Amino acid sequence: MLRTNNCGELNLSDVGNRVTLAGWVQKIRNQGFVIWIDLRDRYGITQIIFDEERTDKKMLEKAQNLGREFVIQVQGTVIERVSKNPKINTGSIEILAEDFQILNASKTPPFTIENETDGGEELRMQYRYLDIRRNPVRENLIFRSKVSLAIRNYLSAHNFIDVETPYLIKSTPEGARDFVVPSRINSGEFYALPQSPQTFKQLLMVGGLDQYFQIVKCFRDEDLRADRQPEFTQIDCEMTFVEQEDILNRFEGLLKHLLQEIKGITIDEIPRITYSEAIKKYGNDKPDIRFGMEFCELTERAKGKGFQVFDQKELIVGIAVPGAASFTRKQIDALIDWVKRPQIGASGLIWVKCNEDGSYKSSVDKFYSQSDLEDWATATQASAGDLILIMAGETNDTRSQLSALRMELAEQLGLRDPEVFAPLWVIDFPLLEWDEENNCFHAMHHPFTAPKPEQIELLATKPEAVNANAYDLVLNGNEIGGGSIRIHDKKTQEIMFDLLGFTKEEAQAQFGFLMEAFQYGAPPHGGIALGLDRLVALLGGQETIRDFIAFPKNNSGRDLMINAPATIDPDQLDELNLKLKPKK
Ligand code: ASP
């Protein structure tokens, strides 16, 4: 080893020992006759001292030429420090240098390697290896490794085996576009990178492996959205001879284990809500339940009182915002402007203040009596001091607009505490979704998801009414996982492909292998996949998944460090038998 110790471990009990350390020069304080250096490695920082009286002259001179981020090896003796730094582990000692070697020099880094850096996000991505030297980034990566290990331990302890599935495959539809890879030796043919190992894990169950997991990269060519990565990591799992209940219990156990191991938090049983209830109560299928403000439909109560705006609307729905009766006119106007922005697209907002004295003041006082408003307050469970906000319009749009407002208010009121964890199972998703544009059904989860057994008959007559044996795990308003019980017989799978608009030939060409396998004693099975990047970020109390990925892509799907994607040379194109269309 080039060192006897690391930079984070020496303390007063080591005083008098001769040691060798290696690391990066974090900081130099040069007073001419004394030089202090903060030497950094993954484990911490140790102060090195060179001085005129105790250090060889030549050494002192040589040390004058050190720069930030030089890599050095230092030999010296541990001594007690005169002015101690209680903030760091090694703050009571320093190393009186006897000799040192420059292992490698460094150019001046393009941004400071400090907790708070002066580098912008793009620059830090371009020099990600320097960014990783900073504590917060390094800590995040170490944290991710800890979470992965806890996951592996839990799943191994419950008999799951880790199996690798291939990356060069044929499309597995999860609702996005495939990344494709041309095959040189099979000219004109392409592999697809897996959007998930879905079909493979099912085939492992047909193969009798019983319980599988894999922490695995998945690839989805989706339109750009903030904080979405074209390649991301899933904790992918599948179980044999199970029902939905078994899977929910096993993975509830996993989340509880992680919260306990990683955060020291014990949580109660994870509540469950049906998809339709979630939509009705929160306006979306991944509700944040760290706070209330549940929707209350006021349609019947509010219509027919001469207020035209409401009378014509399909849905009138409100929420009670705790303690917000004190909002000023200006604050309320700001909220109205906020919901009217094109991103939200609402036509307006009606408000009712529940005054402390039991009276009500609203923006529709002309049309509604105090007792009408009291009725609304009772319905929305508003107390004195709360503010009721009401939206009206077409059902789906209004729900999603109010859902956005609910989240915005929670943010403004500080109700989204990242150290509070409120998971939720969403169950009973519809199996299919009607796609107006293409005039066909889409699988809401994916084509391999089983319908509720008691609704199988409905598939032929009223497919849109069939619910799936599918479930999502939601944490603090984020979908962190989803799965289903699978179809395991050829006939149902064929009906499903048919409903999804596949011809028999198309289904055979794309998924013949799966339907073939189903004819050789495929056992009942089901599974789930959790998004590791998001889960780690949430456990780490942060929003951005990029911060927990060693080499992330930016919002345009680029790796700024290696500059990918990039063009390839004409010979390579030739070899792959590909031609690029000339740019217009
Ligand atoms: N393959 C699914 C997904 O990636 C998860 C599952 O059904 O297990 O969302």
Side-chain angles (χ1 to χ4, degrees):
M1 290 288 263
L2 299 184
R3 60 185 175 197
T4 57
N5 293 87
N6 67 48
C7 295
E9 64 182 347
L10 296 171
N11 55 43
L12 283 178
S13 69
D14 300 293
V15 167
N17 290 349
R18 293 204 63 232
V19 297
T20 304
L21 299 185
W24 288 263
V25 174
Q26 164 89 20
K27 208 193 272 166
I28 311 169
R29 267 163 302 142
N30 186 351
Q31 306 219 323
F33 55 97
V34 197
I35 298 176
W36 287 279
I37 286 172
D38 280 354
L39 192 65
R40 180 194 71 238
D41 67 9
R42 172 184 141 190
Y43 305 92
I45 284 182
T46 299
Q47 180 164 293
I48 316 288
I49 178 168
F50 297 85
D51 77 23
E52 230 171 32
E53 282 167 27
R54 294 176 289 177
T55 310
D56 178 80
K57 262 256 152 31
K58 276 214 196 92
M59 206 59 64
L60 191 67
E61 269 170 40
K62 200 171 123 198
Q64 309 274 357
N65 298 322
L66 286 172
R68 277 199 291 142
E69 299 308 312
F70 275 48
V71 188
I72 62 172
Q73 184 186 31
V74 186
Q75 293 79 28
T77 305
V78 183
I79 59 173
E80 185 170 356
R81 223 151 119 169
V82 181
S83 60
K84 302 198 169 44
N85 176 0
K87 285 199 208 118
I88 59 173
N89 269 353
T90 61
S92 300
I93 57 100
E94 59 194 342
I95 311 296
L96 180 61
E98 285 153 20
D99 198 2
F100 81 96
Q101 296 76 36
I102 295 176
L103 301 179
N104 213 343
S106 173
K107 283 167 61 173
T108 304
F111 50 85
T112 54
I113 315 287
E114 305 276 350
N115 289 0
E116 300 290 334
T117 177
D118 56 357
E121 169 129 47
E122 301 263 298
L123 190 66
R124 285 188 287 122
M125 277 206 197
Q126 190 187 340
Y127 294 92
R128 186 65 166 173
Y129 45 88
L130 295 180
D131 206 22
I132 292 172
R133 286 187 197 164
R134 298 193 309 116
N135 289 331
V137 183
R138 187 186 57 243
E139 291 304 328
N140 284 353
L141 295 180
I142 294 172
F143 183 75
R144 182 182 178 115
S145 162
K146 220 169 113 184
V147 175
S148 290
L149 184 61
I151 292 166
R152 286 179 190 283
N153 287 343
Y154 175 87
L155 293 173
S156 299
H158 287 95
N159 255 340
F160 285 78
I161 54 170
D162 182 358
V163 183
E164 286 168 77
T165 52
Y167 282 156
L168 295 176
I169 65 164
K170 215 156 74 171
S171 177
T172 294
E174 295 279 2
R177 284 195 184 82
D178 291 320
F179 279 103
V180 294
V181 180
S183 163
R184 181 183 55 81
I185 36 185
N186 301 284
S187 171
E189 296 186 310
F190 296 82
Y191 299 101
L193 299 180
Q195 292 185 37
S196 86
Q198 184 61 36
T199 49
F200 287 94
K201 65 174 171 175
Q202 292 191 239
L203 293 170
L204 290 175
M205 298 303 103
V206 180
L209 285 192
D210 200 63
Q211 305 208 71
Y212 139 95
F213 89 99
Q214 187 181 189
I215 296 187
V216 62
K217 275 287 172 73
C218 298
F219 306 85
R220 296 186 190 174
D221 187 2
E222 286 177 294
D223 289 335
L224 305 169
R225 243 207 256 159
D227 209 27
R228 172 171 281 171
Q229 293 284 316
E231 57 176 299
F232 59 95
T233 307
Q234 280 193 345
I235 310 156
D236 193 46
C237 306
E238 198 74 5
M239 302 167 83
T240 302
F241 302 127
V242 287
E243 294 175 325
Q244 169 167 307
E245 194 60 30
D246 304 303
I247 297 181
L248 300 195
N249 286 335
R250 182 57 77 229
F251 288 88
E252 175 151 346
L254 173 63
L255 189 60
K256 283 183 171 167
H257 172 78
L258 292 178
L259 286 168
Q260 188 67 58
E261 282 281 291
I262 306 288
K263 309 293 294 184
I265 293 176
T266 311
I267 54 159
D268 293 337
E269 200 172 309
I270 300 182
R272 298 178 188 183
I273 188 172
T274 64
Y275 170 82
S276 58
E277 220 183 318
I279 298 290
K280 214 170 142 80
K281 254 180 151 173
Y282 301 100
N284 74 66
D285 61 0
K286 44 181 167 68
D288 191 338
I289 57 162
R290 280 174 293 183
F291 49 91
M293 292 196 269
E294 288 167 11
F295 289 15
C296 173
E297 295 187 2
L298 300 168
T299 319
E300 297 311 318
R301 295 167 196 268
K303 276 192 180 186
K305 303 268 175 166
F307 183 44
Q308 290 270 323
V309 176
F310 276 179
D311 286 346
Q312 294 152 3
K313 298 288 160 50
E314 189 178 25
L315 178 77
I316 303 168
V317 53
I319 52 175
V321 187
S326 58
F327 275 18
T328 60
R329 192 57 222 233
K330 210 168 144 203
Q331 275 174 299
I332 293 179
D333 284 345
L335 287 177
I336 295 173
D337 288 343
W338 191 87
V339 298
K340 282 184 168 173
R341 295 176 321 149
Q343 297 95 311
I344 307 295
S347 52
L349 203 55
I350 301 300
W351 55 266
V352 182
K353 285 184 174 182
C354 307
N355 297 326
E356 297 291 351
D357 64 4
S359 68
Y360 298 92
K361 169 90 198 102
S362 82
S363 55
V364 285
D365 280 349
K366 253 204 247 152
F367 303 95
Y368 296 95
S369 67
Q370 287 286 304
S371 86
D372 289 332
L373 300 179
E374 185 179 354
D375 179 41
W376 296 1
T378 312
T380 55
Q381 298 186 354
S383 317
D386 293 354
L387 173 73
I388 305 171
L389 293 174
I390 302 167
M391 282 179 155
E394 189 274 326
T395 301
N396 292 339
D397 289 348
T398 308
R399 282 178 174 158
S400 61
Q401 289 157 0
L402 189 60
S403 164
L405 178 65
R406 177 178 176 270
M407 293 301 269
E408 170 65 18
L409 283 161
E411 195 67 55
Q412 288 187 15
L413 297 171
L415 301 174
R416 304 192 65 201
D417 181 349
E419 290 304 322
V420 172
F421 294 90
L424 174 73
W425 286 110
V426 182
I427 57 174
D428 294 354
F429 280 84
L431 183 69
L432 301 161
E433 215 175 6
W434 184 250
D435 177 352
E436 290 288 346
E437 221 169 90
N438 299 309
N439 220 20
C440 68
F441 282 113
H442 266 317
M444 189 117 174
H445 186 48
H446 53 51
F448 315 106
T449 294
K452 292 270 179 212
E454 64 278 11
Q455 291 183 320
I456 279 249
E457 301 302 321
L458 269 186
L459 270 185
T461 52
K462 217 176 164 210
E464 67 281 2
V466 176
N467 277 340
N469 234 334
Y471 31 80
D472 272 0
L473 183 55
V474 172
L475 182 58
N476 296 357
N478 299 277
E479 182 207 319
I480 57 161
S484 59
I485 297 297
R486 323 300 182 187
I487 296 168
H488 67 281
D489 69 285
K490 180 165 184 255
K491 208 170 120 243
T492 315
Q493 191 64 72
E494 275 174 348
I495 296 174
M496 190 68 182
F497 283 138
D498 184 45
L499 283 169
L500 297 175
F502 285 79
T503 64
K504 270 208 158 55
E505 294 69 37
E506 284 166 347
Q508 184 57 34
Q510 258 202 68
F511 300 109
F513 64 95
L514 188 68
M515 290 191 287
E516 174 82 6
F518 284 172
Q519 296 172 86
Y520 289 94
H525 61 283
I528 191 168
L530 310 182
L532 181 66
D533 308 290
R534 173 72 57 203
L535 178 61
V536 170
L538 286 170
L539 291 173
Q542 293 180 35
E543 290 276 314
T544 327
I545 65 172
R546 269 203 298 276
D547 296 345
F548 290 85
I549 297 174
F551 298 104
K553 307 222 171 0
N554 75 359
N555 280 345
S556 324
R558 297 202 76 82
D559 183 320
L560 296 172
M561 183 181 65
I562 60 174
N563 198 18
T567 52
I568 56 176
D569 66 44
D571 289 348
Q572 237 176 326
L573 281 174
D574 261 357
E575 214 171 49
L576 294 166
N577 212 1
L578 294 176
K579 259 203 198 80
L580 291 184
K581 265 205 222 149
K583 273 203 179 131
K584 279 180 203 143

